């Protein structure tokens, strides 16, 4: 009789081949299906008994009345979380019915810490049951049919004639005991022999061929396990299993997973230090101000559709007014985020989803929460790490409206001035409210380096570390902290000597900042007379005003996509022209380099449909999208060409991979100039963001007017690491020698053709990198507005000869950590 196994999770069903772990992909543990989860609760896939439940709460196995044994393993490498984020709802020996909750887990926290959330569902006794039908490559709901099992006749194994049993004790070196991966290795080894092999842990006994039986032993690091073998090759089987158990099977030492630490700060942390990923550079000291988000409870049932809808609309209007007021009073990145929130609060799909639930009898709060989480699930299903970071914006809108509906205060302002905010995570609106209290820094257990909170901190000049992990939980309210968002760690309860040394660093930093500010308006050149232009990266007119005040000699990057995002239709020519002209006016005749529409990947626009892509970073991005939408491209080019004086605004093409893209845009610019009666030439340059562009810089320089290196994207493409994925964010460092060599080669090739090369990526805002970039041949550096004056000061203290020598040493380093150590030593010699 067949047995139907239903899905224990809602998500996307896929084959085991797609699991990035050979133990599962090669079916060492058994056959089955994998699920990319979209829900946070594992439910029973059939009626049966809980056979094993790992101490870490990440894996559970059940046995049906028919004898089928199924393992559910939530995520990969999750055993190392040691139970953090997992809440078991059953115990070993419990009888369960199909659909009963088994484990609840924090899907966001586990996704951040684990190698992958993909969840294998494995039939571990394949000798007794085979899969006759399975559901893959489609969305699946919890309790929907996943696999159909049919019993098979197992072949009898040969036994020894005399019944002799041989045994040996061994002390486990596995840091987490026998969990799923070691169990698979043990089973694979045991199946190479005819002998029966069992493991004993106290009074528990398990067949070495059975994953479930091995998991049920409940072993841990250092346990003494007895291995017994019986059969004609028992001695050989015993020796093989004992030898395997005496190793750690590649599991490493018994240490928990730590929060990812930026490669730029790779170093041994001392006692009392917690590492994190730098979201906004700087130094800060002060007491910890711990924030904990209050839960907002809402009733499920409403009091009537008319009343609930009226309450929802009134709350929405109130929240919209508050956000609009913040947007009007803010500038730069804060205004941009607030406008994004305005677009969300007015999103017709959110309102429709909420009204549908209200019509079904739900309360306004319950309906709004449900509509928000529908969108959250849809975004998470994309698998795009950049988009997933934007989930916080939806949760922010959810909390703001629910707070208004229920009268629940957010308490975001309750922070003393000068304190360092410590929290699990922050929402953008909370940070904006907190900023008024003037905290000195931010430390977050979660979050990513490209989230809106990170962008806001950078725009505010607020030092911030994110992705610090559970170690941050130990920091109590009021604990003295030294926040080093240059080296990437925070020190709790520092010694007097550490505090004094840190205070001295702060004082030196402030002295340098004051000196830089006093000379901010002066032109920039090295101490031996080489002209290096210091420009600013901007997105709005307000940014341009700030950049001009800081002494920017122009804008090396105007992110025009800010005009296109978070809206339902593309901006008109007149709207674009007004924005570009405003920026040009604010910079008073100085060069303004406008990057053409850079949409796609992590920056989607609703009115520019892009089909689902397996890897958006390698698909329709930058100029590829613009060329596919000539109507948008021509409108943007006409708006740029209308700015006065003609030629102040230059055109830069993003994500160039070949000369044909440059030629196409150049031809279009020339045609539009003719149609518009513009006689003055307008410069057209390219962004070097792909290895292809870097290595063919001489070919591009033959036809481009200038080249500008975008180090953020170039780094992720050179290192094959998604800069928006918190799991690998620690390794995405533009100071990696491979990236620096790519930059140096691009500069060399373009300079030989008589074209100047700038750097407009994040590396141009890194004080440690500026001497290297100058030494590699960059003659224009475009930084964040707040760093312009300091960048000028750093360059003025260099000679070109020593910068070149320093860059040459950097290219010989073996890692980003070595380069940064070299840069720190170079800086120390100049103080």
């Amino acid at each position: 009789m067949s047995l139907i196994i239903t899905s224990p999770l809602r998500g996307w069903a896929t084959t085991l081949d797609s699991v990035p772990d050979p133990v599962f992909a090669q079916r060492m543990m058994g056959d089955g299906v994998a699920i990319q989860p979209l829900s946070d609760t594992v439910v029973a896939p059939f009626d049966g008994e809980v056979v094993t439940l790992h101490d870490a709460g990440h894996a559970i196995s059940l046995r049906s009345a028919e004898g089928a044994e199924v393992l559910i393993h939530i995520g990969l490498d999750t055993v190392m979380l040691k139970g953090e984020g997992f809440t078991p709802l059953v115990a070993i020996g419990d009888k369960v019915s199909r659909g009963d909750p088994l484990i609840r887990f924090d899907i966001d926290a586990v996704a951040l810490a684990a190698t992958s959330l993909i969840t294998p569902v494995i039939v571990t006794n394949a000798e007794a049951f085979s899969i006759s039908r399975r559901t893959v490559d489609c969305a699946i709901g919890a309790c929907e049919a996943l696999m159909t099992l049919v019993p098979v006749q197992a072949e009898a194994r040969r036994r020894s004639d005399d019944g002799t049993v041989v045994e040996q004790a061994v002390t486990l070196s596995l840091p987490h005991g026998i969990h799923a991966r070691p169990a698979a290795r043990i089973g694979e080894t045991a199946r190479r022999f005819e002998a029966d092999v069992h493991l004993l842990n106290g009074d528990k006994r398990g067949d070495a061929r059975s994953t479930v039986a091995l998991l049920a032993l409940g072993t841990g690091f250092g346990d003494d396990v007895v291995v017994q073998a019986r059969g004609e090759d028992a001695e050989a089987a015993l020796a093989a299993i004992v030898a395997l158990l005496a190793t750690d099977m590649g599991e490493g030492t018994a240490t928990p997973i730590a929060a990812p630490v930026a490669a730029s700060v790779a170093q041994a942390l001392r006692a009392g230090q917690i590492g994190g990923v730098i979201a906004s550079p700087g130094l800060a000291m002060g007491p910890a101000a711990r924030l904990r988000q209050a839960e907002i409870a809402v009733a499920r049932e409403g009091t009537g559709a008319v009343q609930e809808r009226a309450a929802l609309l009134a709350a929405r209007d109130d929240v919209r007014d508050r956000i609009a007021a913040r947007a009007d009073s803010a500038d730069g990145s804060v205004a941009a985020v607030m406008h994004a929130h305005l677009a969300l609060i007015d999103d017709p799909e959110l309102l429709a989803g909420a009204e549908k639930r209200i019509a079904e009898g739900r309360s306004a709060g319950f309906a709004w929460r449900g509509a928000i989480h529908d969108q959250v699930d849809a975004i998470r299903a994309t698998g795009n790490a950049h988009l997933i970071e934007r989930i916080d914006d939806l949760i922010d809108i959810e909390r703001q409206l629910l707070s208004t509906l229920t009268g629940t205060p957010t308490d975001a302002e309750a922070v003393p001035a000068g304190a360092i905010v410590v929290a699990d995570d922050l929402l953008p609106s909370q940070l904006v409210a907190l900023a008024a209290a003037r905290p000195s820094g931010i430390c977050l257990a979660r979050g990513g380096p490209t989230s809106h909170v990170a962008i806001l901190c950078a725009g505010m000049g607020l030092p911030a570390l994110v992705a610090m992990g559970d170690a941050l939980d130990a920091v109590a309210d009021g604990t003295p902290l030294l926040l080093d968002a240059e080296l990437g760690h925070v020190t709790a309860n520092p010694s007097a000597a550490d505090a004094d040394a840190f205070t001295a660093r702060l004082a030196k930093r402030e002295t340098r900042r004051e000196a830089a500010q006093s000379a901010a308006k002066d032109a920039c050149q090295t101490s031996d007379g080489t002209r290096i232009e210091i420009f600013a990266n901007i997105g709005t007119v307000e940014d341009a005003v700030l950049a001009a005040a800081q002494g920017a000699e122009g804008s090396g990057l105007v992110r025009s996509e800010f005009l296109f995002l978070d809206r339902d239709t593309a901006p008109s020519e007149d709207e674009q022209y007004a924005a570009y002209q405003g920026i040009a006016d604010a910079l008073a005749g100085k060069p303004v380099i406008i990057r053409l529409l850079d949409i796609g990947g992590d920056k989607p626009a609703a009115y520019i449909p892009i089909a689902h892509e397996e890897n958006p970073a390698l698909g329709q991005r930058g100029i590829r999208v613009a060329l596919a939408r000539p109507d948008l491209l021509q409108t943007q080019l006409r708006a740029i060409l209308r700015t006065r004086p003609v030629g102040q605004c230059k055109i830069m093409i993003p994500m160039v991979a070949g000369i044909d893209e440059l030629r196409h845009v150049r031809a279009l610019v020339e045609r539009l100039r003719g149609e518009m009666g513009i006689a003055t030439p307008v410069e057209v340059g390219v962004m070097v963001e792909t290895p292809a562009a870097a290595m063919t810089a001489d070919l591009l320089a033959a036809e481009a007017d200038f080249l500008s290196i975008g180090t953020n994207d170039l780094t992720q493409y050179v290192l094959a690491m998604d800069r928006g994925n918190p799991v690998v964010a620690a390794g995405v460092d533009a100071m990696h020698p491979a990236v620096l060599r790519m930059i140096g080669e691009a500069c060399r090739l373009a300079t030989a053709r008589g074209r100047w090369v700038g750097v407009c990526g994040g590396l141009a805002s890194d004080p440690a990198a500026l001497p290297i970039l100058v030494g590699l041949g960059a003659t224009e550096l475009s930084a964040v507005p707040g760093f312009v004056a300091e960048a000028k000061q750093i360059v003025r203290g260099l000679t070109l000869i020593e910068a070149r020598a320093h860059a040459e040493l950097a290219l010989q380093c073996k890692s980003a950590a070595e380069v940064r150590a070299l840069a720190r030593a170079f800086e120390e010699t100049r103080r």
Side-chain angles (χ1 to χ4, degrees):
M1 179 180 293
S2 63
L3 171 65
I4 295 177
I5 307 296
T6 54
S7 178
L9 287 159
R10 179 169 65 86
W12 183 268
T14 185
T15 64
L16 289 182
D17 299 305
S18 63
V19 178
D21 187 317
V23 168
F24 295 108
Q26 297 175 17
R27 294 161 175 77
M28 296 181 191
M29 201 175 300
D31 199 2
V33 173
I35 298 171
Q36 284 283 6
L38 291 175
S39 58
D40 62 2
T41 303
V42 175
V43 301
F46 49 73
D47 299 345
E49 178 184 352
V50 178
V51 181
T52 69
L53 177 61
H54 198 281
D55 291 343
H58 72 295
I60 189 170
S61 57
L62 300 92
R63 182 183 296 119
S64 73
E66 297 82 359
E69 295 176 347
V70 172
L71 168 72
I72 305 167
H73 193 284
I74 307 169
L76 303 182
D77 294 326
T78 41
V79 64
M80 290 183 283
L81 300 183
K82 293 191 171 182
E84 290 295 326
F86 296 93
T87 305
L89 306 175
V90 293
I92 295 174
D94 283 357
K95 303 291 185 183
V96 295
S97 299
R98 191 189 307 274
D100 285 352
L102 304 176
I103 299 172
R104 184 169 293 116
F105 62 101
D106 186 330
I107 194 167
D108 291 323
V110 174
L112 182 64
T115 301
S116 171
L117 262 184
I118 197 165
T119 298
V121 182
I122 306 293
V123 181
T124 56
N125 56 340
E127 74 281 356
F129 290 87
S130 65
I131 303 172
S132 66
R133 180 180 302 171
R134 72 190 81 202
T135 301
V136 293
D137 297 328
C138 65
I140 193 167
C143 295
E144 293 182 1
L146 183 67
M147 296 182 282
T148 301
L149 306 188
V150 294
V152 298
Q153 184 66 41
E155 294 183 8
R157 293 196 303 272
R158 289 178 290 167
R159 303 273 194 254
S160 63
D161 293 333
D162 59 7
T164 300
V165 174
V166 292
E167 68 178 40
Q168 183 177 337
V170 61
T171 300
L172 288 184
S173 298
L174 291 161
H176 308 289
I178 300 175
H179 58 95
R181 185 179 289 107
R185 294 278 303 279
I186 295 166
E188 183 184 33
T189 301
R191 282 188 285 273
R192 296 204 299 262
F193 301 94
E194 295 296 336
D196 285 324
V197 184
H198 287 78
L199 273 61
L200 287 75
N201 184 31
D203 59 357
K204 297 178 181 178
R205 176 184 174 89
D207 187 335
R209 291 178 173 81
S210 168
T211 298
V212 170
L214 293 176
L215 296 178
L217 293 175
T219 56
F221 177 76
D223 282 357
D224 291 324
V225 172
V226 175
V227 183
Q228 293 182 339
R230 172 183 173 180
E232 62 182 31
D233 55 359
E235 294 282 356
L238 178 69
I241 297 297
V242 168
L244 185 62
L245 290 175
T247 71
D248 66 7
M249 300 191 206
E251 295 283 308
T253 55
T255 55
I257 280 183
V261 179
S264 61
V265 296
Q267 57 183 335
L269 296 175
R270 305 200 316 267
Q273 290 183 336
I274 305 169
V277 175
I278 297 171
S280 176
L283 303 174
M285 63 188 302
R290 179 164 284 283
L291 290 184
R292 301 187 187 277
Q293 287 192 10
E295 290 296 323
I296 302 178
V298 294
R300 177 185 177 88
E301 304 304 325
T303 58
V306 174
Q307 298 93 317
E308 296 297 339
R309 187 176 188 278
L312 174 68
L313 294 178
R316 192 176 72 144
D317 288 344
D318 186 60
V319 172
R320 183 197 293 110
D321 290 344
R322 289 203 303 271
I323 296 173
R326 283 175 175 165
D328 290 341
S329 62
D331 54 27
S333 56
V334 174
V337 173
M338 292 302 100
H339 283 298
H341 283 196
L342 280 174
L344 287 176
I345 199 71
D346 287 326
D347 190 293
E349 287 194 20
L350 288 178
L351 181 59
E355 290 183 328
K356 179 177 180 293
R357 286 173 168 84
I358 288 174
E360 294 169 351
R362 305 295 180 250
S363 72
F366 189 89
W368 181 249
R369 176 169 282 166
I372 289 284
H373 283 265
D374 282 349
Q375 295 299 316
V376 167
D377 288 348
I379 290 175
R380 189 173 280 121
T382 67
N384 185 308
H386 295 282
L387 295 181
I388 288 171
E389 282 193 340
R390 300 299 181 253
I391 285 174
D392 281 351
D393 295 300
L394 281 165
I395 300 301
D396 197 340
I397 292 300
E398 174 196 344
R399 286 184 62 84
Q400 289 188 63
L401 194 140
L402 294 184
S403 173
T404 300
L405 272 173
T406 63
T408 304
T410 59
D411 294 329
E413 296 82 1
V415 171
I420 294 175
V421 176
V422 176
D424 181 54
D425 206 352
L426 279 178
L427 298 172
S429 67
Q430 291 176 313
L431 178 60
V432 172
L434 281 170
R438 304 186 69 80
S440 62
I442 304 289
C443 290
L444 301 180
R446 295 173 54 207
T450 63
S451 69
H452 268 156
V453 166
I455 293 169
L456 288 172
C457 286
M460 296 173 180
L462 193 61
L465 295 179
V466 297
M468 299 182 73
D470 294 340
L472 199 62
D473 291 345
V475 176
D477 195 57
T479 302
L481 297 178
L482 305 180
L483 172 58
D484 192 333
E486 291 180 349
L487 298 181
H489 61 247
V490 69
T491 303
N493 293 309
S495 66
D498 284 344
D500 288 345
F502 198 85
T503 301
R505 280 181 68 193
L506 277 170
K508 285 183 179 180
R509 186 182 180 88
E510 187 58 33
T511 299
R512 289 198 305 270
R513 181 179 288 114
E514 290 174 358
Q517 201 62 49
S518 65
K521 297 298 179 70
D522 298 340
C524 181
Q525 60 184 21
T526 63
S527 61
D528 55 357
T530 302
R531 182 78 166 95
I532 306 292
E533 295 178 301
I534 305 298
F535 286 10
N537 299 335
I538 62 178
T540 64
V541 174
E542 291 79 14
D543 286 343
V545 171
L546 174 60
Q550 292 294 312
E553 300 176 85
S555 173
L557 171 64
V558 175
R559 299 186 183 92
S560 68
E561 62 271 16
F562 287 145
L563 290 168
F564 292 79
L565 297 175
D566 301 315
R567 54 190 297 160
D568 296 326
T569 59
S572 67
E573 181 182 322
D574 286 344
E575 183 181 350
Q576 291 186 63
Y577 161 69
Y580 304 147
Q581 188 66 60
I583 290 170
D585 292 343
L587 287 168
K590 297 181 177 70
V592 174
I593 299 175
I594 300 175
R595 178 172 67 187
L596 294 177
L597 176 61
D598 188 14
I599 291 290
D602 61 315
K603 294 175 286 191
Y607 52 88
I608 306 178
I610 297 175
H612 173 74
E613 297 176 305
E614 188 68 25
N615 191 336
L618 303 181
Q620 288 291 87
R621 288 200 60 192
I623 191 59
R624 300 168 191 170
V625 175
L627 291 176
R629 289 293 304 270
D631 55 326
L632 294 178
L633 178 57
Q634 290 189 50
T635 298
Q636 182 172 31
L637 290 174
R638 288 181 64 86
I640 295 171
L641 293 172
R642 284 172 60 186
T643 57
R644 296 294 182 269
V646 174
Q648 179 187 359
C649 288
K650 309 173 192 306
I651 295 164
M652 185 160 64
I653 310 170
M655 290 300 297
V656 169
I659 194 73
D660 287 345
E661 293 158 330
L662 168 60
R663 288 173 176 170
H664 191 113
V665 174
R666 172 82 76 183
L668 188 53
V669 169
E670 294 307 308
R671 178 171 67 80
L672 292 174
R673 277 182 57 217
E675 293 175 358
M676 299 170 69
I678 298 172
T680 305
V682 175
E683 292 186 19
V684 178
V686 299
M687 283 195 79
V688 177
E689 300 169 277
T690 66
M695 300 310 292
T696 59
D698 54 337
L699 305 180
L700 292 169
E703 301 188 33
D705 294 305
F706 60 89
L707 288 80
S708 187
I709 300 172
T711 56
N712 299 352
D713 272 316
L714 181 63
T715 301
Q716 75 168 348
Y717 291 131
V718 169
L719 300 182
M721 292 181 178
D722 181 354
R723 61 191 173 97
N725 185 342
V727 176
V728 296
V732 184
D733 191 340
M735 290 279 257
H736 192 289
V739 180
L740 296 180
R741 290 185 180 203
M742 197 75 74
I743 293 170
E745 187 66 2
C747 290
R748 184 185 69 82
L749 292 172
T751 303
R753 291 293 187 118
R755 293 291 183 262
W756 64 265
V757 181
V759 177
C760 62
L763 204 59
S765 299
D766 186 337
L770 296 194
I772 296 174
L773 294 175
V774 171
L776 290 175
T779 58
E780 179 255 20
L781 302 170
S782 192
V784 295
F787 182 63
V788 166
E790 188 174 348
K792 285 186 169 184
Q793 192 76 351
I794 291 171
V795 172
R796 291 187 186 112
L798 299 170
T799 67
L800 189 59
I801 292 175
E802 65 186 356
R804 285 174 174 167
H806 179 49
E808 186 59 36
L809 289 175
L811 296 182
Q812 304 311 312
C813 290
K814 298 178 178 63
S815 67
E818 279 192 25
V819 173
R820 290 201 176 270
L822 175 71
R824 285 196 294 273
F826 182 80
E827 182 184 3
E828 288 298 327
T829 64
R830 311 188 60 73
R831 289 182 176 177

